[in-house]
Amino acid sequence: MMSRAAELRRLIEEPGIVVLPGAHDALSAKLVEQSGSQGIMVGGFAMSASALGMPDLGLLTMTEALDRVRHIVNAVSVPVLADMDTGYGNSLNVIRTVRECVRLGVAAIILEDQTWPKRCGHMEGKSVIPMDEHVEKLRSAVHARGDSGLVIVGRTDARAPLGLDEAIRRGHAYAEAGADVLFIEAPESMDELRVIAGEFDVPLLANMIEGGKTPFLPAGELEELGFRIVIYALSGLFATVTAVQEVTEHLR
């Protein structure tokens, strides 16, 4: 039977953009799967909000994140892309994080180059570690996954603090370090999305956040630009919040 990592790789290689709606717990993951979606995204913002009732400010520990992801992976059969933030430390911590994700059956992980404690990619006040430090983290992740096929998404948050050119430079370095997919977080215009799409030969991921810094686009438009994966990381969580607010107000 094909592993979920292998299934995600197959989806990325086939024609058509891969659409991954966000889930914040096992129940929402089941609903995403029942909709017919190809896979599920589990984001740090969604985990922090649902598990702690707190913003995405690096408050969630590795153990808490993995526990959340474990329940989601066990609840569904489709590939799960899990946000592992910065890997929760240095390259040694990344090795442990990756091995735990492989053991859980996660299909793909995102590793970002923010300093810790990190912030949601669409918040102000972000900072990033030196590029070479994240290159070593990605190389460690490639080593730690072994022959599992785990898809590694190399993410840079350099656009906000250092500019688009630096984000693109880091993207090339992260691809050379072994990232299977690149994620340039929070481009701020259609022009920037086009520039990013034209810069890389490796698969690109776009993050669509309602009210975020990046223009919010349907999957078809992102596919035309050249992106291979799109995550709607918070759409389900935002809908859940609205539904609970409305029903509790009605009950009150």
Side-chain angles (χ1 to χ4, degrees), residues 5 7 29 43 60 72 92 105 121 130 151 154 173 176 199 203 214 226 235 246:
E7 172 66 12
L60 205 68
I72 290 172
L92 291 176
V151 176
E176 291 176 8
E199 276 284 337
T214 304
S235 300
E246 290 180 352

PDB file of all heavy atoms in Angstrom, residues 5 7 29 43 60 72 92 105 121 130 151 154 173 176 199 203 214 226 235 246:
ATOM      1  N   ALA A   5       3.055   9.758   2.382  1.00  0.00           N
ATOM      2  CA  ALA A   5       4.079  10.626   1.801  1.00  0.00           C
ATOM      3  C   ALA A   5       4.209  10.366   0.306  1.00  0.00           C
ATOM      4  O   ALA A   5       4.295  11.304  -0.496  1.00  0.00           O
ATOM      5  CB  ALA A   5       5.413  10.388   2.501  1.00  0.00           C
ATOM      6  N   GLU A   7       1.904   9.167  -1.611  1.00  0.00           N
ATOM      7  CA  GLU A   7       0.677   9.655  -2.237  1.00  0.00           C
ATOM      8  C   GLU A   7       0.752  11.149  -2.487  1.00  0.00           C
ATOM      9  O   GLU A   7       0.359  11.637  -3.552  1.00  0.00           O
ATOM     10  CB  GLU A   7      -0.521   9.326  -1.340  1.00  0.00           C
ATOM     11  CG  GLU A   7      -1.844   9.939  -1.768  1.00  0.00           C
ATOM     12  CD  GLU A   7      -2.380   9.418  -3.091  1.00  0.00           C
ATOM     13  OE1 GLU A   7      -1.860   8.416  -3.601  1.00  0.00           O
ATOM     14  OE2 GLU A   7      -3.339  10.033  -3.611  1.00  0.00           O
ATOM     15  N   ALA A  29     -10.538  17.572  10.702  1.00  0.00           N
ATOM     16  CA  ALA A  29      -9.805  16.803   9.694  1.00  0.00           C
ATOM     17  C   ALA A  29     -10.711  15.786   9.015  1.00  0.00           C
ATOM     18  O   ALA A  29     -10.655  15.592   7.795  1.00  0.00           O
ATOM     19  CB  ALA A  29      -8.608  16.113  10.336  1.00  0.00           C
ATOM     20  N   GLY A  43      -1.871  23.710  10.507  1.00  0.00           N
ATOM     21  CA  GLY A  43      -1.022  24.877  10.684  1.00  0.00           C
ATOM     22  C   GLY A  43      -0.766  25.209  12.142  1.00  0.00           C
ATOM     23  O   GLY A  43      -1.563  24.874  13.029  1.00  0.00           O
ATOM     24  N   LEU A  60       3.327  27.071  21.493  1.00  0.00           N
ATOM     25  CA  LEU A  60       3.086  25.630  21.436  1.00  0.00           C
ATOM     26  C   LEU A  60       4.421  24.886  21.408  1.00  0.00           C
ATOM     27  O   LEU A  60       5.305  25.211  20.612  1.00  0.00           O
ATOM     28  CB  LEU A  60       2.276  25.299  20.185  1.00  0.00           C
ATOM     29  CG  LEU A  60       1.416  24.040  20.188  1.00  0.00           C
ATOM     30  CD1 LEU A  60       0.254  24.195  21.164  1.00  0.00           C
ATOM     31  CD2 LEU A  60       0.885  23.750  18.788  1.00  0.00           C
ATOM     32  N   ILE A  72      -4.829  13.825  14.456  1.00  0.00           N
ATOM     33  CA  ILE A  72      -5.334  14.128  13.119  1.00  0.00           C
ATOM     34  C   ILE A  72      -4.929  13.048  12.130  1.00  0.00           C
ATOM     35  O   ILE A  72      -5.758  12.555  11.351  1.00  0.00           O
ATOM     36  CB  ILE A  72      -4.850  15.519  12.676  1.00  0.00           C
ATOM     37  CG1 ILE A  72      -5.549  16.597  13.507  1.00  0.00           C
ATOM     38  CG2 ILE A  72      -5.085  15.737  11.184  1.00  0.00           C
ATOM     39  CD1 ILE A  72      -5.019  18.002  13.298  1.00  0.00           C
ATOM     40  N   LEU A  92      19.876  19.403  15.720  1.00  0.00           N
ATOM     41  CA  LEU A  92      19.604  18.185  16.489  1.00  0.00           C
ATOM     42  C   LEU A  92      18.128  18.073  16.836  1.00  0.00           C
ATOM     43  O   LEU A  92      17.535  16.987  16.774  1.00  0.00           O
ATOM     44  CB  LEU A  92      20.452  18.172  17.764  1.00  0.00           C
ATOM     45  CG  LEU A  92      21.959  17.985  17.563  1.00  0.00           C
ATOM     46  CD1 LEU A  92      22.680  18.101  18.901  1.00  0.00           C
ATOM     47  CD2 LEU A  92      22.262  16.653  16.903  1.00  0.00           C
ATOM     48  N   GLY A 105       3.466   8.937  10.730  1.00  0.00           N
ATOM     49  CA  GLY A 105       2.843   8.780   9.422  1.00  0.00           C
ATOM     50  C   GLY A 105       2.483  10.088   8.744  1.00  0.00           C
ATOM     51  O   GLY A 105       1.644  10.116   7.838  1.00  0.00           O
ATOM     52  N   GLY A 121       3.110  33.871  10.093  1.00  0.00           N
ATOM     53  CA  GLY A 121       3.766  34.449   8.933  1.00  0.00           C
ATOM     54  C   GLY A 121       3.164  35.725   8.406  1.00  0.00           C
ATOM     55  O   GLY A 121       3.800  36.443   7.618  1.00  0.00           O
ATOM     56  N   PRO A 130      20.138  33.298  10.347  1.00  0.00           N
ATOM     57  CA  PRO A 130      20.998  33.323   9.170  1.00  0.00           C
ATOM     58  C   PRO A 130      20.640  32.205   8.190  1.00  0.00           C
ATOM     59  O   PRO A 130      20.250  31.098   8.608  1.00  0.00           O
ATOM     60  CB  PRO A 130      22.397  33.109   9.759  1.00  0.00           C
ATOM     61  CG  PRO A 130      22.301  33.623  11.150  1.00  0.00           C
ATOM     62  CD  PRO A 130      20.914  33.274  11.608  1.00  0.00           C
ATOM     63  N   VAL A 151       7.871  14.467   2.677  1.00  0.00           N
ATOM     64  CA  VAL A 151       8.053  15.670   1.862  1.00  0.00           C
ATOM     65  C   VAL A 151       8.460  16.817   2.781  1.00  0.00           C
ATOM     66  O   VAL A 151       7.763  17.113   3.755  1.00  0.00           O
ATOM     67  CB  VAL A 151       6.770  16.021   1.091  1.00  0.00           C
ATOM     68  CG1 VAL A 151       6.941  17.328   0.316  1.00  0.00           C
ATOM     69  CG2 VAL A 151       6.389  14.879   0.147  1.00  0.00           C
ATOM     70  N   GLY A 154      10.574  23.703   2.549  1.00  0.00           N
ATOM     71  CA  GLY A 154      11.452  24.732   3.075  1.00  0.00           C
ATOM     72  C   GLY A 154      10.782  26.092   2.980  1.00  0.00           C
ATOM     73  O   GLY A 154      10.438  26.548   1.896  1.00  0.00           O
ATOM     74  N   ALA A 173      18.698  28.578  -2.017  1.00  0.00           N
ATOM     75  CA  ALA A 173      19.595  27.858  -1.107  1.00  0.00           C
ATOM     76  C   ALA A 173      18.879  26.693  -0.440  1.00  0.00           C
ATOM     77  O   ALA A 173      19.467  25.613  -0.256  1.00  0.00           O
ATOM     78  CB  ALA A 173      20.146  28.812  -0.056  1.00  0.00           C
ATOM     79  N   GLU A 176      18.536  23.811  -2.858  1.00  0.00           N
ATOM     80  CA  GLU A 176      19.819  23.120  -2.995  1.00  0.00           C
ATOM     81  C   GLU A 176      20.115  22.253  -1.766  1.00  0.00           C
ATOM     82  O   GLU A 176      20.792  21.223  -1.871  1.00  0.00           O
ATOM     83  CB  GLU A 176      20.939  24.127  -3.203  1.00  0.00           C
ATOM     84  CG  GLU A 176      20.888  24.838  -4.557  1.00  0.00           C
ATOM     85  CD  GLU A 176      21.964  25.906  -4.694  1.00  0.00           C
ATOM     86  OE1 GLU A 176      22.839  25.984  -3.794  1.00  0.00           O
ATOM     87  OE2 GLU A 176      21.936  26.642  -5.689  1.00  0.00           O
ATOM     88  N   GLU A 199      10.766  32.174 -10.660  1.00  0.00           N
ATOM     89  CA  GLU A 199      12.142  32.042 -10.184  1.00  0.00           C
ATOM     90  C   GLU A 199      12.604  30.605  -9.974  1.00  0.00           C
ATOM     91  O   GLU A 199      13.801  30.339  -9.954  1.00  0.00           O
ATOM     92  CB  GLU A 199      12.315  32.802  -8.865  1.00  0.00           C
ATOM     93  CG  GLU A 199      12.597  34.274  -9.030  1.00  0.00           C
ATOM     94  CD  GLU A 199      14.038  34.530  -9.468  1.00  0.00           C
ATOM     95  OE1 GLU A 199      14.905  33.664  -9.237  1.00  0.00           O
ATOM     96  OE2 GLU A 199      14.272  35.605 -10.030  1.00  0.00           O
ATOM     97  N   PRO A 203       8.701  22.559  -6.991  1.00  0.00           N
ATOM     98  CA  PRO A 203       7.308  22.878  -6.668  1.00  0.00           C
ATOM     99  C   PRO A 203       7.208  23.994  -5.638  1.00  0.00           C
ATOM    100  O   PRO A 203       7.992  24.058  -4.692  1.00  0.00           O
ATOM    101  CB  PRO A 203       6.763  21.557  -6.110  1.00  0.00           C
ATOM    102  CG  PRO A 203       7.644  20.505  -6.697  1.00  0.00           C
ATOM    103  CD  PRO A 203       8.999  21.125  -6.801  1.00  0.00           C
ATOM    104  N   THR A 214      -0.998  38.457   1.686  1.00  0.00           N
ATOM    105  CA  THR A 214      -0.965  37.981   0.309  1.00  0.00           C
ATOM    106  C   THR A 214      -2.343  38.081  -0.322  1.00  0.00           C
ATOM    107  O   THR A 214      -3.338  37.762   0.334  1.00  0.00           O
ATOM    108  CB  THR A 214      -0.486  36.519   0.279  1.00  0.00           C
ATOM    109  OG1 THR A 214       0.781  36.425   0.936  1.00  0.00           O
ATOM    110  CG2 THR A 214      -0.341  36.016  -1.151  1.00  0.00           C
ATOM    111  N   GLY A 226       1.708  29.221 -11.607  1.00  0.00           N
ATOM    112  CA  GLY A 226       2.800  28.261 -11.544  1.00  0.00           C
ATOM    113  C   GLY A 226       2.988  27.585 -10.203  1.00  0.00           C
ATOM    114  O   GLY A 226       3.964  26.854 -10.009  1.00  0.00           O
ATOM    115  N   SER A 235      -9.074  28.836   6.826  1.00  0.00           N
ATOM    116  CA  SER A 235     -10.463  29.005   6.381  1.00  0.00           C
ATOM    117  C   SER A 235     -11.430  28.225   7.256  1.00  0.00           C
ATOM    118  O   SER A 235     -12.477  28.735   7.670  1.00  0.00           O
ATOM    119  CB  SER A 235     -10.598  28.568   4.921  1.00  0.00           C
ATOM    120  OG  SER A 235      -9.765  29.335   4.082  1.00  0.00           O
ATOM    121  N   GLU A 246     -22.157  32.477  16.375  1.00  0.00           N
ATOM    122  CA  GLU A 246     -23.559  32.665  15.980  1.00  0.00           C
ATOM    123  C   GLU A 246     -24.496  31.754  16.754  1.00  0.00           C
ATOM    124  O   GLU A 246     -25.562  32.189  17.218  1.00  0.00           O
ATOM    125  CB  GLU A 246     -23.702  32.440  14.485  1.00  0.00           C
ATOM    126  CG  GLU A 246     -23.053  33.538  13.647  1.00  0.00           C
ATOM    127  CD  GLU A 246     -23.188  33.303  12.156  1.00  0.00           C
ATOM    128  OE1 GLU A 246     -23.665  32.208  11.757  1.00  0.00           O
ATOM    129  OE2 GLU A 246     -22.813  34.202  11.376  1.00  0.00           O
TER     130      GLU A 246
END
